[in-house]
């Protein structure tokens, strides 16, 4: 139980305890202050009533005579005795009548001084002068002497010898309505002190007892209604985390509040997780199977593309190199190069719409048709026209291919080419500067039946290079969304124009990777470079 109480129940109980203590303290303080105010008011009112009674005993017209002669008469003694009797009868500490020194309002010259015999104070004789007013009550004394008003504040004092006192002060008028003296009544507030102490003890005892009883009942309620159900939920969650097997233990938590909802949610979660793990196992196995098949497909695709370099080491007329980096396991880009006959070299660069397996399958078809229909002496325009017809016949998915094919006459340097919506190539002449070669771009392959394509031609001199690529190169993007672009490609090609085709492709790929940085590769990156080295001897 002790260990469990340190959890939610302990925290809630502690919080309620603090709240109860603060509430009890607030009630006690407010009650104490109100109780004190009322009793002080009663004591002060009582003191003023005694003062008014004492004033009726006096003969103010003879005050000047008494102070001048300093000799009491029979009337003086009678009045003094009446004041003494009043002090004893009302349990008052003292009653005094004095003239106030108006130069500082603190100095009193006593006329009468009636002292309670139990108080321990000594009676001041007629004419005795003393500092009888504290500095903080000077304004009150000034109002009494000058205006005849009562004190605006309680004249309250406290000493360890006599305890708490309240003093009432009133002005004494002679027969001509002149203020000739001040009458003060100092009344002990012993009952106030006792009553306040009793009040504090009773209130604090009652508050503490109420808080303690409430905490007992509240803790029992928390333990039964909150802690036990939550412990059941947490224990079941731990058990499920360790075993992974669901159970029906939480069905015993039959509550309609938030804890009941939590118990039902955890119970449902256990069953859902169990089912999810079962399905995930099946999906993972299927994904592994598909991954293995894609790996095989990627290898098959790579094997279909020329990948051994130098490709024609026995041919001194040219040097050629190509590379493809698919965005997925298999890609839609493809390149190809092959000898049409002993004198003509064909190069192909193409990009299938889409990515993944469908694009790879369509790529195989397109690559095969282009190579099969490229024959010695056949116009490249006719080749693409025929390939387009064949692709449109079996293209229910609406895919298409952008393609470029060129055939280089190794003897004359003439390059005939055809372009079906593909990027224009870069040509590097002997001056070592790569420039984009603007050629007419026909419509894409498999895009529309009946499309006819026309070939063009240019002449390469020994030392010239041709660089062809797919849009994955120029459209490579970094994290800021900036594209690699034609100008950056032209710059890296020109700076490495003297390098052999294989080294040139490596430099371009390194520059693309540096530009992209941590950005993702969204498209296949395919490049091809062929360098015409020397004219072929024709016998």
């Amino acid at each position: 139980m002790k260990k469990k109480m340190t959890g939610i129940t302990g925290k809630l109980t502690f919080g309620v305890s603090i709240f109860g203590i603060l509430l009890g303290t607030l009630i006690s303080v407010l009650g104490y202050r109100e109780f004190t105010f009322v009793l002080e008011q009663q004591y002060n009112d009582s003191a003023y009533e005694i003062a008014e009674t004492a004033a009726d005993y006096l003969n103010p017209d003879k005050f000047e005579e008494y102070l001048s002669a300093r000799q009491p008469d029979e009337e003086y003694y009678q009045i003094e005795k009446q004041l003494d009797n009043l002090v004893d009868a009302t349990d008052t500490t003292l009653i005094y009548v004095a003239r106030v020194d108006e130069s500082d309002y603190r100095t009193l010259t006593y006329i009468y001084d009636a002292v309670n015999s139990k108080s321990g104070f000594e009676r001041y004789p007629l004419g005795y002068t003393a500092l009888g007013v504290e500095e903080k009550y000077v304004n009150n004394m000034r109002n009494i002497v000058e205006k005849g008003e009562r004190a605006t504040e309680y004249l309250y004092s406290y000493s360890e010898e006599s305890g708490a006192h309240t003093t009432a002060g009133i002005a004494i008028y002679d027969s001509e309505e002149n203020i000739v003296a001040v009458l003060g009544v100092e009344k002990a507030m012993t009952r106030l002190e006792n009553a306040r102490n009793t009040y504090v003890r009773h209130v604090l005892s009652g508050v503490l007892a109420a808080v303690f009883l409430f905490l007992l009942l509240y803790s029992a309620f928390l333990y039964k209604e909150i802690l036990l159900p939550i412990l059941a939920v947490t224990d079941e969650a731990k058990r499920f985390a360790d075993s992974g097997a669901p159970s029906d233990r939480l069905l015993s938590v039959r509550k309609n509040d938030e804890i009941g909802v939590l118990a039902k949610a955890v119970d449902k979660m256990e069953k859902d997780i169990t089912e999810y793990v079962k399905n995930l196992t099946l999906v993972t196995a299927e994904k592994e199977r598909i991954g293995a098949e894609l790996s095989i497909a990627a290898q098959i695709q790579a094997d279909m593309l020329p990948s051994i370099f130098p490709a024609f080491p026995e041919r001194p007329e040219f040097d050629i190199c190509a590379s493809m980096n698919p965005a997925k396991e298999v890609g839609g880009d493809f390149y190809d190069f092959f000898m049409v006959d002993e004198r003509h070299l064909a190069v192909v660069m193409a990009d299938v719409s889409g990515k993944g397996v469908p694009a790879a399958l369509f790529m195989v078809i397109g690559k095969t048709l282009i190579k099969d229909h490229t024959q010695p002496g056949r116009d490249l325009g006719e080749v693409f026209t025929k390939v387009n017809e064949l692709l449109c016949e079996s293209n229910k998915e609406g895919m298409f291919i952008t393609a470029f094919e060129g055939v280089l006459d190794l003897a004359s340097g003439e390059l005939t080419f055809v372009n079906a919506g593909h990027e224009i190539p870069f040509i590097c002449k002997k001056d070592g500067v790569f420039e984009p070669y603007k050629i007419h771009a026909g419509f894409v392959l498999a895009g529309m039946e009946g499309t006819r394509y026309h070939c063009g031609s240019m002449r390469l001199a020994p030392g010239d290079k041709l660089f062809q690529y797919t849009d994955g190169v120029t459209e490579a993007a970094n994290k800021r969304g900036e594209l690699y672009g034609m100008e950056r490609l032209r710059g890296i090609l020109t700076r490495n124009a003297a390098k052999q085709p294989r080294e040139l492709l490596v430099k371009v790929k390194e520059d693309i990777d540096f530009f992209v940085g941590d950005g993702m590769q969204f498209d296949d990156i395919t490049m091809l470079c062929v360098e015409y080295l020397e004219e072929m001897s024709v016998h």
Side-chain angles (χ1 to χ4, degrees), residues 197-265:
N197 294 336
T198 302
Y199 173 83
V200 170
R201 287 197 302 270
H202 289 173
V203 169
L204 288 181
S205 299
V207 169
L208 291 177
V211 170
F212 180 74
L213 179 60
F214 173 77
L215 289 179
L216 286 179
L217 297 176
Y218 184 69
S219 298
F221 170 79
L222 287 179
Y223 181 73
K224 180 180 179 181
E225 298 296 327
I226 296 179
L227 183 60
L228 288 180
I230 289 180
L231 286 176
V233 174
T234 55
D235 290 343
E236 174 59 18
K238 291 178 181 178
R239 187 206 60 78
F240 177 74
D242 294 335
S243 65
S247 70
D248 296 328
R249 295 181 181 180
L250 293 181
L251 297 179
S252 61
V253 182
R254 302 179 183 276
K255 298 177 68 65
N256 295 323
D257 55 12
E258 290 81 357
I259 297 178
V261 174
L262 176 63
K264 293 175 183 177

Side-chain angles (χ1 to χ4, degrees), residues 282-342:
L282 297 176
V283 171
T284 301
E286 181 66 15
K287 185 176 180 180
E288 290 177 352
R289 183 186 65 80
I290 294 175
E293 293 179 356
L294 286 175
S295 179
I296 295 173
Q299 186 60 45
I300 294 174
Q301 183 184 39
D303 293 342
M304 291 186 64
L305 302 179
S307 57
I308 300 175
F309 302 100
F312 302 96
E314 73 283 359
R315 303 301 299 258
E317 298 89 359
F318 65 92
D319 185 14
I320 190 169
C321 187
S323 66
M324 186 186 76
N325 298 95
K328 293 188 175 182
E329 290 85 350
V330 290
D333 286 7
F334 68 91
Y335 64 85
D336 199 4
F337 50 83
F338 52 89
M339 297 299 298
V340 180
D341 54 28
E342 288 296 318

Side-chain angles (χ1 to χ4, degrees), residues 45-58 86 95 148 150 168-173 183-185:
D45 291 343
S46 175
Y48 273 105
E49 290 176 359
I50 296 171
E52 296 293 342
T53 301
D56 293 337
Y57 299 159
L58 303 178
L86 182 61
I95 299 174
R150 286 190 176 188
I170 63 174
I172 301 300
Y173 297 85
L183 186 148
V185 176

Side-chain angles (χ1 to χ4, degrees), residues 47 70 103 170 252 265 269 377 417 430 434 449 522 525:
R70 302 290 177 98
S103 63
I170 63 174
S252 61
M269 180 192 67
F417 55 84
K430 289 184 179 180
F434 272 94
E449 296 181 357
F522 293 101
I525 297 177

Side-chain angles (χ1 to χ4, degrees), residues 383-397:
V383 172
F384 271 29
T385 300
K386 183 61 177 177
V387 170
N388 180 66
E389 292 178 2
L390 295 174
L391 290 175
C392 288
E393 290 177 0
S394 57
N395 187 21
K396 296 181 180 180
E397 301 299 325

